[in-house]
């Protein structure tokens, strides 16, 4: 499990993250919620070891991540950023990049690496995209390939920054269902989401941020009934009971 203990971070000016404490639990989909610029993306980068802390500690199974090598951390945490380059390689070769943390230099792919890449593409419903150049794919198709690359990395924690970007509603729901499947396999899945209704319907727990601070964590029920979402986002949120549980909407 990853534990954030009173972490603070910034970019040289006022802190972007201020005294944030949070647990990333195996078997759970956690949605990071908050207005633009509140520190959600910086938080993911800090967890992935890509942004230094100015205070506090991040622990992986009780060990400070600052004591881990880049390779050790990459074998434990997968990070999918919001913006990514689009290399001129096939989708299959892109997914194989997820195996880099397990290879020495010069990189020579082993049979188990190829097996992991195929398994990941099949899990992400993207095996048919394997021979195609990534640059020729649609935004939604690329998202599937990046998700497959994350799966090929085979870590216990997966961080995704706005993964529903470029996806239509159907594929957004598919991604959230797949995230829950990953959690059922024992992984901790953390998503930055801007669609509150999607998050409330799909995540096990939410963490609401604003101004670099963590305001509240809780189940969708707890966040809804507390009023923290309406206070933070300044929009009324309502819900209706359906055969598939609560469905949330903006009013």
């Amino acid at each position: 499990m990853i534990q954030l203990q009173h972490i603070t971070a910034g970019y040289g000016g006022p802190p972007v993250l201020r005294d944030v404490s949070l647990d990333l639990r195996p078997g759970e989909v956690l949605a990071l919620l908050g207005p633009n610029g509140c520190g959600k993306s910086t938080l993911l980068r800090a967890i992935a070891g890509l942004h230094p802390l100015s205070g506090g500690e991040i622990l992986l199974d009780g060990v400070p991540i600052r004591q881990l090598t880049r390779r050790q951390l990459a074998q434990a945490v997968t990070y999918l950023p919001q913006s990514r380059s689009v290399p001129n390689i096939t989708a299959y070769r892109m997914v194989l990049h997820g195996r880099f943390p397990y290879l020495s230099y010069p990189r020579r792919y082993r049979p188990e690496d190829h097996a992991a890449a195929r398994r990941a593409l099949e899990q992400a419903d993207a095996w048919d995209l394997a021979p195609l150049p990534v640059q020729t794919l649609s935004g939604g198709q690329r998202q599937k390939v990046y998700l497959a690359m994350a799966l090929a990395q085979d870590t216990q924690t997966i961080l995704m920054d706005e993964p529903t970007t470029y996806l239509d509603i159907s594929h957004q729901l598919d991604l959230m269902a797949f995230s829950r499947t990953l959690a059922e396999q024992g992984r901790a899945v953390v998503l930055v989401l801007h669609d509150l209704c999607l998050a409330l319907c799909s995540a096990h727990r939410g963490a609401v941020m604003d101004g670099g601070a963590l305001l509240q964590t809780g189940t969708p029920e707890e966040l809804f009934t507390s009023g923290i979402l309406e206070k933070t986002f300044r929009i009324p949120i309502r819900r209706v009971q359906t055969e598939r549980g609560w469905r949330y909407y903006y009013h």
Side-chain angles (χ1 to χ4, degrees):
M1 182 171 74
I2 292 179
Q3 298 172 295
L4 282 59
Q5 299 182 341
H6 305 287
I7 68 169
T8 299
Y11 296 90
V16 176
L17 298 175
R18 298 186 290 110
D19 195 28
V20 175
S21 295
L22 182 66
D23 292 342
L24 312 186
R25 303 169 184 169
E28 177 184 81
V29 176
L30 172 68
L32 292 182
L33 309 170
N36 288 335
C38 72
K40 302 184 298 298
S41 296
T42 301
L43 183 64
L44 290 193
R45 288 179 53 80
I47 298 169
L50 300 175
H51 191 87
L53 302 181
S54 55
E57 196 82 87
I58 299 176
L59 305 178
L60 171 61
D61 295 332
V63 178
I65 65 168
R66 56 183 168 77
Q67 296 181 8
L68 303 177
T69 66
R70 177 71 65 188
R71 182 174 183 177
Q72 287 173 324
L73 189 56
Q75 291 178 357
V77 179
T78 299
Y79 167 60
L80 286 181
Q82 178 183 359
S83 300
R84 313 175 190 93
S85 60
V86 184
N88 186 25
I89 58 176
T90 67
Y92 184 76
R93 300 297 295 185
M94 187 72 190
V95 173
L96 276 174
H97 285 188
R99 301 301 299 168
F100 282 3
Y102 303 95
L103 302 175
S104 58
Y105 190 84
R107 301 184 180 104
R108 292 188 176 89
Y109 296 115
R110 305 158 298 173
E112 55 263 42
D113 299 315
H114 289 285
R118 174 160 188 154
R119 184 167 58 249
L121 280 161
E122 290 175 343
Q123 279 188 284
D125 191 27
W127 177 245
D128 60 318
L129 304 176
L132 303 179
V134 177
Q135 292 182 342
T136 67
L137 303 180
S138 69
Q141 290 173 322
R142 288 177 189 171
Q143 201 75 316
K144 284 186 175 184
V145 172
Y146 289 123
L147 179 59
M149 182 175 65
L151 296 178
Q153 195 169 330
D154 194 24
T155 64
Q156 287 302 300
T157 300
I158 299 179
L159 314 173
M160 293 187 272
D161 195 352
E162 298 191 38
T164 57
T165 303
Y166 305 120
L167 299 182
D168 58 32
I169 295 175
S170 175
H171 286 97
Q172 289 179 27
L173 295 175
D174 287 345
L175 184 140
M176 296 306 298
F178 188 58
S179 296
R180 290 184 70 96
T181 297
L182 294 176
E184 290 168 2
Q185 295 171 356
R187 292 180 169 93
V189 182
V190 184
L191 312 172
V192 170
L193 295 173
H194 282 293
D195 189 328
L196 297 180
C197 298
L198 183 65
L200 292 171
C201 289
S202 305
H204 296 98
R205 191 164 55 112
V208 182
M209 299 181 63
D210 196 13
L214 180 61
L215 303 183
Q216 184 175 330
T217 62
T219 65
E221 172 74 15
E222 291 168 340
L223 296 180
F224 177 80
T225 56
S226 72
I228 188 66
L229 297 173
E230 292 196 2
K231 180 179 179 181
T232 302
F233 291 93
R234 298 179 179 82
I235 56 172
I237 303 173
R238 301 292 181 265
R239 66 180 181 179
V240 60
Q241 183 69 267
T242 71
E243 294 180 355
R244 300 178 62 184
W246 290 111
R247 289 297 177 264
Y248 299 83
Y249 62 95
Y250 306 120
H251 181 66

